[in-house]
Amino acid sequence: MSLKVYQYPKCGTCKKALKWLDEHKVDYESIHIVDNPPSKEELASLIEKSGLPAKKFFNTSGKKYRELGLKDKIKEASSEEMMDWLASDGMLIKRPIVTDGDRVTVGFKEDSFEQAWHS
């Protein structure tokens, strides 16, 4: 199965991740995270498979995150509330999210890509 990459074309981190995948000849399906954000159910699955807490899926440096004042709200929020926020707007989601259906990486760090996606 090829990877699914939830990404935003203007995102510098996403460009680096796609370049890495291309250079390592890894097949992937690119999904525009704003036009086609993951559903709440998909997010729940991605979060569970990543082994990371839901708050790690937020784009904390994004304008929308600041506008909604999520920095303070997130401390008290349930995982249900966090998934509602994430599913409501692709710009709130940290990117890229890469998955093969079993494993999930969030963001781009070359060493984690090397471990997860280099065959």
Side-chain angles (χ1 to χ4, degrees):
M1 175 188 163
S2 74
L3 300 179
K4 281 187 176 182
V5 180
Y6 290 94
Q7 57 89 27
Y8 183 64
K10 293 180 182 173
C11 164
T13 306
C14 295
K15 289 177 187 173
K16 286 179 196 162
L18 295 177
K19 182 176 186 247
W20 188 95
L21 291 169
D22 289 339
E23 286 172 353
H24 291 82
K25 298 182 179 18
V26 178
D27 287 333
Y28 61 88
E29 173 192 355
S30 178
I31 301 165
H32 194 300
I33 203 162
V34 178
D35 294 346
N36 298 298
S39 68
K40 191 173 171 181
E41 292 74 26
E42 287 172 297
L43 283 163
S45 175
L46 290 166
I47 290 167
E48 184 184 328
K49 289 174 182 170
S50 76
L52 297 168
K55 65 183 178 186
K56 292 284 187 195
F57 277 71
F58 281 89
N59 174 14
T60 56
S61 58
K63 185 175 147 190
K64 191 83 176 183
Y65 183 85
R66 289 192 302 274
E67 280 174 6
L68 295 174
L70 293 180
K71 183 181 179 199
D72 297 319
K73 292 179 186 173
I74 212 164
K75 292 173 190 154
E76 306 292 318
S78 68
S79 57
E80 186 78 12
E81 286 174 300
M82 287 189 231
M83 283 187 279
D84 282 338
W85 290 327
L86 289 167
S88 74
D89 189 333
M91 291 304 276
L92 285 174
I93 303 171
K94 183 172 178 147
R95 53 197 182 255
I97 296 175
V98 182
T99 184
D100 63 1
D102 294 319
R103 294 172 295 171
V104 176
T105 57
V106 182
F108 174 69
K109 287 196 172 76
E110 196 165 336
D111 56 343
S112 65
F113 264 49
E114 191 72 43
Q115 279 184 322
W117 313 125
H118 195 261
S119 36

